[in-house]
């Protein structure tokens, strides 16, 4: 596939993984803001990486222009999808001049899909691109839902929770997306949903989860990326 | 595999259109057998037939895998702890069922980060979680590539350690530290204490002490596994083994060829009980849903 | 003569700008700065537990992630008087070397030197090693105050991955050398006085006289009005002068501004050797962490050789929380001398030189 990358406020790790995937899986990274200037050429998919400072009109305009020229737009990594670590960004050096105006890129642009992670693994990016290439809507579904405006979801479940694996939309309602994808520093609802499998702890990119039977999130290391929630077998069925 | 096992067993299999167990209840499978370890040390260390331990030891020795994610016993009596076993000794140490939550997958990152080929043993929910990590690897890389064998354990429900302690105190009047052996057979949870006494309680009593989240689960037999193993439906000292995938079939075949495992026809056990319990679990989850849990209060 | 503000895409995250006076297509006078919105690591960690400062530092910039985390952990250890076990020190050194390989290989891969494929192969090998020692391939989460939160390190595997990568690294070195030779012919620069080189160690950690480092605000350092207005970064000098840090400084300087790439390729080879060596001498199930860490108070500093140069962290802790923090990154030093390398070059050449020097807008602002 022909791939483009717009890198905004980010550390560059998501971009690094995307580059490696394109190199090894035979996708063509035709344009990357890290290396190129100007307009995004004609591509199959545009990845947006990182957060945007609301006060940075230039960045917002670049994002808008890039998004308008691409058919498929994907938030690459938690910073772009939900805010992730970049939510902590302050924007000014001096404590007296705090101006928290950093938001996930997906707040300023309509994205079609989101890949959660800090950074998402090469495997996740590769399998997403494969599903996209094949037009496999079933496999793309979780990426589609995770890119949505969670606050717009109807809190009334359309149907009772259907067993351990509810549909993606249903279970997203179990989490408070203001902080991250996880529920107020719980991976999923502890008593009713959590089976204590440990997948959250293995997936946590900051090793902020200690688990004896059920996960305990160490707030001092949590970066609010939501990887634990997306990985949980009870958030949605793969 | 089928050909060979047919020779051993002299019985018909699914290719003749006759399934021994209903896939609607126990999930898709390629073969269903009774199995046990031929070596005494595995049978003794293991829970029933020592099948899982023997199969892992064989996979390790033959180079199918470099390591296995299993649960071993931690510092407290009967408190499980996930570990990455890389030798037969470590496997033997970890052998046997533990009846409370062991977050095995928390050891997965270390296991696949350090080894090219890994086996994972887990409850049905853990098996499904590994499958999810294979297709949606948001945070753990190389799961699809490096997990070479996924062994699922039959599970009706799991207990929290606190629940297990309470269960023993209230229903069995035993202290965890005095327990020599625990087992679930024929619908009973049986405990043998250090003074040699055997006490049991009906499995239906377990539910009150179980992890609440297990109420939503419909999967008794780990339907996503390569190989599912359990004692339900097997005679004493044997396991029921359901082989579900090609790679599961290859490893089991190899273990049977090497005479590490002996197998028999599943009909020699009690497949009807297995089907009944599997069906029970599905129905139970159905009624749990009727509790209609709503994550957020409904809007006015 | 006109003053232009150019965006330079160096391949690294963040927005890097060159403000240049240009006459007849050539730069006469130039300054390099960042216009990236500050992440403000120094401010966002205030009042937070020190562990958060470690996790946050690893997310400043992809290149030096492990090194930044290590620098913060070591500064905290210095502040709290924590003694890290020897095995942990050696494992950390190994982790830092793997990080250098990862960062350099990625930098070379995007530098138009024709080594993309083998260079990404090296990035993958380095990620594998970082994962084995640091817990994950990127932002290694095992880095913590008191050591590394890891039980076992598969040392034999680390050694073999490093050894297997050496051949590719040598191939990359050959290709980079010839590509840089071509670049050199196209790009004539006048010989000028070389800046002092600053490095704290040839491998990992060392001491640096914080008093000799001078950190300047844009108003203090930049002379052009435009730069003063748009810059969001600080600039660091050593002993009152710009200093060269990074791979070229560690090997004793660069005669030509595109030579930094060669220094990187050389360092990949030597670091891979170093990793294999270190792994063979490391106990795979050693003591990598001390539990003797109390949420105390104190002041401490650490200097680490990050992939792109000297990285200095100073922390003041109060009851285990950050009271004051300072991070001086390699790009802070490089920004001081980058402008001086540019006169006489065309706009295209400016980008080539800055890519070679290795500046990241994100690192510069942090």
């Amino acid at each position: 596939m022909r791939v483009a990358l717009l890198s905004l406020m980010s550390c560059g790790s998501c971009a690094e993984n995307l580059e490696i995937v394109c190199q090894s899986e035979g996708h063509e990274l035709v344009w990357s803001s890290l290396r190129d200037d100007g307009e995004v050429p004609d591509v199959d998919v545009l990845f947006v990486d990182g957060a945007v400072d609301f006060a940075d009109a230039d960045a917002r305009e670049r994002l808008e222009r890039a998004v308008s020229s691409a058919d498929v737009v994907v938030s690459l990594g938690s910073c772009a999808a939900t805010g992730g670590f970049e939510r902590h960004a302050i924007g000014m050096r001096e404590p007296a001049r705090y101006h928290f105006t950093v938001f996930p890129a997906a707040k300023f642009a309509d994205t079609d899909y989101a890949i959660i992670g800090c950074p998402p693994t090469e495997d996740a990016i590769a399998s997403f691109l494969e599903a996209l290439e094949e037009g496999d809507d079933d496999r793309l579904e979780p990426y589609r839902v995770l890119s949505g405006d969670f606050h717009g979801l109807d809190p009334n479940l359309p149907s009772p929770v259907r067993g351990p694996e509810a549909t993606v939309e249903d279970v997203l309602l179990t989490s408070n997306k203001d902080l991250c994808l996880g529920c107020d520093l719980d991976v999923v609802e502890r008593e009713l949903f959590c089976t204590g499998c440990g997948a959250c702890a293995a997936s946590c990119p900051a090793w902020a989860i200690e688990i004896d039977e059920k996960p305990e999130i160490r707030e001092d290391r949590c970066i609010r990326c939501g990887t634990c929630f997306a990985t949980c077998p009870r958030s949605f069925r793969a | 595999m089928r050909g060979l096992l047919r020779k051993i067993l002299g019985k018909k299999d699914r290719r003749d259109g006759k399934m021994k167990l209903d896939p609607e209840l126990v999930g898709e499978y390629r073969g269903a057998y009774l199995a046990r370890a031929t070596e005494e040390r595995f049978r003794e260390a293991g829970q029933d037939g020592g099948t899982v331990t023997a199969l892992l030891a064989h996979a390790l020795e033959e180079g199918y895998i470099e390591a296995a994610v299993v649960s071993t016993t931690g510092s407290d009596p009967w408190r499980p702890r996930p570990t990455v076993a890389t030798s037969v000794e470590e496997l033997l140490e970890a052998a046997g069922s533990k009846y409370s939550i062991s977050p095995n997958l928390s050891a997965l990152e270390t296991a696949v980060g350090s080894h090219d080929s890994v086996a994972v043993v887990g409850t049905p929910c853990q098996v499904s979680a590994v499958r999810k990590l294979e297709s949606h690897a948001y945070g753990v890389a190389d799961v699809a590539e490096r997990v070479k064998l996924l062994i699922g354990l039959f599970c009706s429900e799991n207990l929290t350690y606190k629940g297990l302690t309470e269960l023993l105190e209230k229903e069995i009047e035993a202290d965890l530290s005095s327990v020599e052996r625990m087992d679930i057979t024929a619908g009973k949870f049986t405990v043998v204490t250090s003074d040699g006494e055997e006490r049991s309680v009906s499995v239906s009593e377990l539910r009150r002490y179980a992890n609440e989240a297990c109420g939503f689960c419909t999967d008794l037999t780990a339907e996503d596994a390569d190989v599912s193993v359990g004692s339900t439906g097997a005679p004493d000292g044997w396991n029921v083994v359901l082989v579900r995938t090609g790679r599961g079939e290859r490893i089991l075949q190899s273990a049977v060829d090497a005479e590490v495992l002996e197998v028999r026809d599943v009909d020699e056990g009690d497949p009807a009980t297995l089907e009944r319990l599997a069906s029970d679990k599905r129905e139970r989850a159905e009624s749990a849903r009727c509790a209609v849990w709503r994550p957020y209060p409904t809007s006015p | 003569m006109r003053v232009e503000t150019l965006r330079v895409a160096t391949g690294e995250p963040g927005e890097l700008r060159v403000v240049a006076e240009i006459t007849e297509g050539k730069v006469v006078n130039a300054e390099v700065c960042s216009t990236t919105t500050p992440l403000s690591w120094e401010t966002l960690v205030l009042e937070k537990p020190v562990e958060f400062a470690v996790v946050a530092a690893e997310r400043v910039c992809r290149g030096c992630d492990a090194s930044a985390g290590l620098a913060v952990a070591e500064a905290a250890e210095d502040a709290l008087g924590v003694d890290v076990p020897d095995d942990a020190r050696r494992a950390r050194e190994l982790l830092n070397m793997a990080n250098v390989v990862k960062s350099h290989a990625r930098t070379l891969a995007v530098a138009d030197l024709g080594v993309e494929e083998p260079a990404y192969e090296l990035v993958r090998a380095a990620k594998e090693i970082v994962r084995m020692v640091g817990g994950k391939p990127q932002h290694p989460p095992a880095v913590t105050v008191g050591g590394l939160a890891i039980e076992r390190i598969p040392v034999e595997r680390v050694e073999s991955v490093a050894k297997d990568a050496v051949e590719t690294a040598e191939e990359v070195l050959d290709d980079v050398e010839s590509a840089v030779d071509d670049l050199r012919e196209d790009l004539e620069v006048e010989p000028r006085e070389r800046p002092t080189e600053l490095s704290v160690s040839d491998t990992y950690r060392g001491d640096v006289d914080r008093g000799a480092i001078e950190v300047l605000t844009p108003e203090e350092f930049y002379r052009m009005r435009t730069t003063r207005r748009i810059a969001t970064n600080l600039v660091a000098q050593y002993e009152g002068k710009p200093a060269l840090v990074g791979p070229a400084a560690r090997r004793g300087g660069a005669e030509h501004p595109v030579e930094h790439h060669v220094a990187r390729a050389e360092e990949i080879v030597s670091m891979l050797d170093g990793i294999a060596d270190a792994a063979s001498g490391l106990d795979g199930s050693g003591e990598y962490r001390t539990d003797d860490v109390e949420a105390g108070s104190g002041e401490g500093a650490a200097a680490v050789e990050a992939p792109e140069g000297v990285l200095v962290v100073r922390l003041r802790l109060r009851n285990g929380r950050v009271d004051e923090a300072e991070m001086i990154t390699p790009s802070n030093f490089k920004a001081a001398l980058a402008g001086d390398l540019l006169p006489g070059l065309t706009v295209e050449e400016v980008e080539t030189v800055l890519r070679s020097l290795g500046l990241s807008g994100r690192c510069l602002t942090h």
Side-chain angles (χ1 to χ4, degrees):
Chain A
M1 298 196 107
R2 286 168 58 83
V3 177
L5 167 74
L6 177 66
S7 179
L8 299 157
M9 274 181 78
S10 76
C11 72
S13 295
C14 300
E16 182 176 295
N17 283 359
L18 179 68
E19 287 167 10
I20 298 176
V21 168
C22 288
Q23 223 280 322
S24 63
E25 305 293 316
H27 301 291
E28 197 188 343
L29 185 59
V30 290
W31 188 88
S32 157
S33 66
L34 296 177
R35 302 172 63 184
D36 303 285
D37 277 316
E39 300 299 314
V40 181
D42 186 30
V43 290
D44 298 321
V45 49
L46 169 74
F47 286 91
V48 177
D49 155 23
V52 180
D53 179 6
F54 186 57
D56 184 350
D58 270 2
R60 277 186 292 136
E61 199 199 311
R62 278 172 70 209
L63 175 62
E64 213 167 284
R65 269 208 323 275
V67 165
S68 67
S69 67
D71 292 335
V72 178
V73 182
V74 184
S75 311
L76 179 63
S78 293
C79 294
T82 64
F85 174 69
E86 295 296 312
R87 279 274 176 109
H88 296 278
I90 281 171
M92 290 287 160
R93 241 160 235 293
E94 302 296 321
R97 292 166 68 197
Y98 279 138
H99 80 157
F100 293 99
T101 50
V102 176
F103 298 97
K107 280 266 172 225
F108 299 101
D110 280 337
T111 53
D112 302 288
Y113 303 102
I115 310 178
I116 302 295
C118 181
T121 63
E122 290 166 33
D123 294 0
I125 300 169
S127 87
F128 167 79
L129 279 169
E130 191 187 275
L132 191 66
E133 198 162 26
E134 290 167 4
D136 186 339
D137 287 338
D138 284 348
R139 270 171 71 194
L140 290 174
E141 182 66 6
Y143 302 106
R144 189 188 67 75
V145 173
L146 289 168
S147 77
D149 179 1
F150 313 114
H151 299 279
L153 289 176
D154 182 358
N156 291 304
L157 292 182
S159 56
V161 174
R162 305 304 294 170
E165 310 92 7
T167 64
V168 185
E169 285 90 343
D170 282 359
V171 178
L172 280 175
L173 289 168
T174 67
S175 88
N176 176 356
K177 268 64 73 190
D178 275 336
L179 277 179
C180 69
L181 275 172
C183 330
D184 287 334
L185 294 172
D186 250 355
V187 179
V188 290
E189 210 289 327
R190 288 172 68 86
E191 301 304 326
L192 270 165
F193 270 12
C194 176
T195 64
C197 71
C200 49
S203 71
C204 176
W207 282 5
I209 298 183
E210 283 172 353
I211 185 162
D212 194 11
E213 288 193 333
K214 305 237 172 155
E216 300 284 345
I217 295 187
R218 283 181 58 177
E219 280 188 60
D220 62 343
R221 289 185 68 94
C222 177
I223 48 162
R224 315 283 195 266
C225 66
T227 309
C228 53
F229 176 76
T231 304
C232 175
R234 291 211 158 172
S235 60
F236 57 85
R237 174 104 181 168
Chain B
M1 179 81 182
R2 283 182 213 120
L4 175 97
L5 287 167
R6 191 157 48 225
K7 234 181 345 191
I8 299 173
L9 305 166
K11 296 257 178 168
K12 293 179 176 176
D13 71 350
R14 65 187 285 203
R15 250 195 276 173
D16 304 305
K18 200 180 125 200
M19 299 297 278
K20 285 161 184 150
L21 288 157
D22 185 357
E24 287 289 315
L25 297 173
V26 301
E28 292 293 327
Y29 64 94
R30 294 168 168 231
Y33 316 100
L34 294 180
R36 67 172 186 183
T38 49
E39 274 188 67
E40 189 67 34
R41 56 175 180 153
F42 294 127
R43 287 211 301 273
E44 234 164 55
Q47 190 67 20
D48 295 286
T51 305
V52 173
T53 313
L55 191 61
L56 288 175
H58 176 71
L60 209 56
E61 282 174 342
E62 291 298 307
Y64 282 103
I65 55 167
E66 288 172 16
V69 177
V70 294
S71 59
T72 189
T73 309
S75 43
D76 298 327
W78 294 95
R79 189 195 273 278
R81 175 175 64 82
T83 186
V84 183
T86 52
S87 67
V88 177
E89 290 69 41
E90 283 172 328
L91 285 174
L92 281 167
E93 219 167 279
S97 304
K98 291 106 197 151
Y99 294 91
S100 69
I101 297 174
S102 172
N104 278 11
L105 300 194
S106 59
L108 191 64
E109 169 66 51
T110 320
V112 296
S114 309
H115 304 280
D116 274 328
S117 49
V118 172
V120 179
V121 182
T123 54
C125 52
Q126 293 174 342
V127 167
S128 300
V130 174
R131 292 295 184 210
K132 182 171 177 180
L133 277 167
E134 285 177 0
S135 59
H136 292 83
Y138 298 107
V140 189
D142 301 319
V143 177
E145 196 188 318
R146 293 181 183 175
V147 174
K148 303 281 191 196
L149 178 64
L150 194 46
I151 298 181
L153 305 172
F154 293 1
C155 173
S156 57
E157 63 249 293
N158 209 345
L159 304 170
T160 57
Y161 191 69
K162 189 163 160 274
L164 180 66
T165 315
E166 277 177 19
L167 168 78
L168 284 169
E169 270 172 19
K170 291 190 183 149
E171 307 288 336
I172 297 188
E173 291 169 8
D175 187 64
L176 260 180
S177 55
S178 71
V179 173
E180 292 273 290
R181 191 180 159 77
M182 288 189 211
D183 207 359
I184 295 183
T185 35
K188 280 194 182 315
F189 177 64
T190 310
V191 166
V192 181
T193 50
S194 48
D195 49 20
E197 210 178 318
E198 191 177 302
R199 279 175 270 192
S200 60
V201 57
S202 163
V203 168
S204 57
E205 295 296 317
L206 258 58
R207 216 142 289 157
R208 284 193 282 145
Y209 302 94
N211 181 13
E212 209 176 336
C214 296
F216 279 98
C217 178
T218 56
D219 185 1
L220 178 89
T221 57
E223 296 174 27
D224 288 334
D226 291 314
V227 179
S228 298
V229 183
S231 66
T232 310
D236 266 2
W238 288 79
N239 291 110
V240 169
V241 173
L242 299 174
V243 185
R244 302 182 189 275
T245 63
R247 63 183 191 185
E249 207 165 50
R250 276 191 294 281
I251 289 183
L252 189 69
Q253 165 83 73
S254 155
V256 172
D257 284 349
E259 294 180 1
V260 169
L261 291 179
E262 54 176 312
V263 289
R264 286 197 202 158
D265 194 298
V266 75
D267 286 343
E268 289 179 34
D270 185 5
T273 301
L274 177 56
E275 282 186 335
R276 183 168 53 78
L277 290 178
S279 158
D280 280 358
K281 191 167 182 187
R282 288 212 199 289
E283 275 165 28
R284 205 175 76 216
E286 206 55 58
S287 60
R289 289 173 202 165
C290 293
V292 191
W293 175 75
R294 288 188 183 271
Y296 276 162
T298 48
S299 49
Chain C
M1 185 168 78
R2 61 203 158 95
V3 174
E4 271 193 50
T5 306
L6 311 163
R7 174 177 185 267
V8 189
T10 56
E12 299 302 330
E15 295 293 315
L16 200 66
R17 293 282 193 281
V18 173
V19 180
E21 290 172 8
I22 296 172
T23 308
E24 290 167 15
K26 294 213 167 173
V27 173
V28 180
N29 183 19
E31 287 175 341
V32 178
C33 71
S34 158
T35 57
T36 309
T37 303
L39 176 64
S40 315
W41 179 86
E42 287 154 346
T43 307
L44 74 86
V45 298
L46 293 180
E47 300 298 325
K48 298 258 172 65
V50 63
E51 280 295 310
F52 187 76
V54 176
V55 176
E58 292 197 340
R59 283 161 178 82
V60 167
C61 181
R62 62 106 215 147
C64 299
D65 54 3
S67 312
L70 288 172
V72 176
E74 303 219 342
E77 283 150 12
D78 185 30
L80 300 173
V82 174
D83 244 345
V84 174
D86 275 352
D87 288 335
R89 288 225 181 284
R90 284 198 284 270
R92 279 180 171 183
E93 177 164 1
L94 207 162
L95 179 63
N96 194 59
M97 287 194 279
N99 194 39
V100 171
V101 175
K102 175 164 81 84
S103 175
H104 286 355
R106 154 63 172 63
T107 305
L108 295 176
V110 297
D112 296 328
L113 299 166
V115 293
E116 270 202 25
E117 202 183 322
Y120 279 124
E121 210 176 290
L122 292 173
V123 177
R124 290 190 118 155
K127 278 171 72 179
E128 187 91 334
I129 297 171
V130 171
R131 188 183 191 187
M132 287 187 272
V133 185
K136 293 265 179 196
Q138 286 146 311
H139 309 322
V143 177
T144 185
V145 179
L148 289 175
I150 199 157
E151 275 172 33
R152 277 194 250 181
I153 295 176
V155 283
E156 282 166 22
R157 192 181 155 104
V158 171
E159 194 183 339
S160 79
V161 172
K163 280 185 171 162
D164 290 348
V166 169
E167 203 177 310
T168 314
E170 280 167 349
E171 191 186 307
V172 168
L173 175 57
D174 286 347
D175 292 350
V176 168
E177 273 175 341
S178 63
V180 166
D181 280 346
D182 293 346
L183 273 180
R184 247 187 218 269
E185 275 173 31
D186 298 344
L187 210 153
E188 263 181 57
V189 289
E190 293 155 33
R192 51 172 65 86
E193 201 188 325
R194 272 166 47 176
T196 15
E197 285 105 29
L198 171 64
S199 60
V200 292
S201 147
D202 52 356
T203 53
Y204 172 37
R205 60 196 292 277
D207 290 316
V208 63
D209 179 8
R210 173 63 188 85
I213 301 175
E214 183 184 16
V215 179
L216 305 167
T217 62
E219 290 75 21
E220 289 165 339
F221 178 78
Y222 294 115
R223 292 179 304 273
M224 291 156 87
R225 213 176 329 138
T226 316
T227 329
R228 289 177 177 207
R229 184 168 51 81
I230 62 172
T232 57
N233 60 286
L234 303 174
V235 179
Q237 298 195 121
Y238 192 70
E239 290 177 337
K241 284 182 300 199
L244 177 68
V245 297
R250 286 193 287 265
R251 71 160 196 180
E255 308 228 313
H256 192 279
V258 289
E259 244 182 47
H260 297 270
H261 285 316
V262 179
R264 284 190 188 94
E266 284 171 355
E267 223 171 48
I268 291 176
V269 177
S270 66
M271 290 286 172
L272 284 171
D273 286 339
I275 291 168
D277 247 15
S280 68
L282 190 68
D283 178 1
S285 48
E287 191 194 354
Y288 300 125
R289 184 187 190 178
T290 171
D291 290 331
D292 196 16
V293 180
E294 272 170 44
S297 308
E299 218 172 326
V304 160
E305 274 297 330
E308 286 302 327
V310 178
L311 196 150
V312 184
V313 171
R314 202 168 51 77
L315 283 178
R316 192 168 75 211
L317 303 179
R318 205 180 53 212
N319 300 324
R321 288 179 182 261
V322 180
D323 202 35
E324 197 184 298
E326 180 187 52
M327 182 189 277
I328 304 165
T329 62
S331 290
N332 287 141
F333 288 105
K334 288 179 184 176
L337 61 84
D340 295 344
L341 298 174
L342 306 179
L345 302 179
T346 65
V347 170
E348 285 75 39
E349 288 165 349
V350 163
E351 191 158 275
T352 309
V353 166
L354 290 182
R355 275 189 186 185
S356 165
L357 184 62
L359 270 159
S360 144
R362 177 83 169 185
C363 170
L364 190 46
T365 303
H366 61 272

